[in-house]
Amino acid sequence: MALSCKTSAGSTGGCAECTGSGQWRAKAVCDWEGDRYSERADQKTGTVRVYLPDCKWSIEKVVVELL
């Protein structure tokens, strides 16, 4: 089963949640600074949620990167 993911971004932070199997991590695209990354998830089944470190200023979006 492939991964099915959804993301959520607030004012400075966010999270990502994926269901299925695969290796992935979430990336926070921050405004005016470098991107922030979650820990790597190597999931076999079920649903995994990861939280991203907060951006200093504001967050533009959260994306899921398949590894």
Side-chain angles (χ1 to χ4, degrees), residues 4-51:
S4 172
C5 302
K6 56 186 176 179
T7 62
S8 176
S11 58
T12 59
C15 67
E17 183 178 278
C18 292
T19 301
S21 62
Q23 295 180 344
W24 60 279
R25 69 178 178 179
K27 176 174 77 171
V29 180
C30 300
D31 291 325
W32 308 300
E33 64 181 302
D35 299 334
R36 307 285 173 99
Y37 294 89
S38 72
E39 69 274 11
R40 176 182 177 144
D42 184 6
Q43 73 186 81
K44 305 293 183 206
T45 186
T47 300
V48 172
R49 176 180 289 172
V50 297
Y51 292 91

